[in-house]
Amino acid sequence: MVRSASGFRGTRVGVTEGAGPRNESDDFPGERLPRIRVSYWCARGHETRPVFLKLPENQIPLVWDCRRCGTPASRDGQEAALLEPVEEGFKSHLEYVKERRSGQDAEDVLAGALEKLRARGVLPDELLRDP
């Protein structure tokens, strides 16, 4: 079996040996800032654990939105039951688009996109034509 004579196989221009996050020593320039993980519980009992820089206690938010249901979550779980929940919850991208555009606007945008595809030859003319 013949091996390649080049020692640069799979490397990029300007990369020195041992460079990169895997091979960083403890003496690299700059310091990593200490971080903490804080637990928040919503009224439904879901736990959310965002990561913050290690800050004084008064600078860490007392309330955080639950990642599962969108309701307010507190750090002790007791206050979450007293907080007023968000009525709408999370909205998808499509729901936001539907708020901004009417049904006719959506039809116009779709027709324009289909025409562009047909003009480029990506979409056959007979496919998806209005009857």
Side-chain angles (χ1 to χ4, degrees), residues 38-42 46-50 64-68 73:
V38 179
S39 293
Y40 293 88
W41 289 271
C42 71
H46 302 141
E47 182 182 14
T48 301
R49 299 186 67 206
W64 197 261
D65 289 338
C66 176
R67 290 186 178 161
R68 290 186 60 195

Side-chain angles (χ1 to χ4, degrees), residues 10 16 35 71 75 122 125:
T16 59
R35 300 177 190 278
T71 59
R75 295 178 66 186
V122 175
D125 289 337

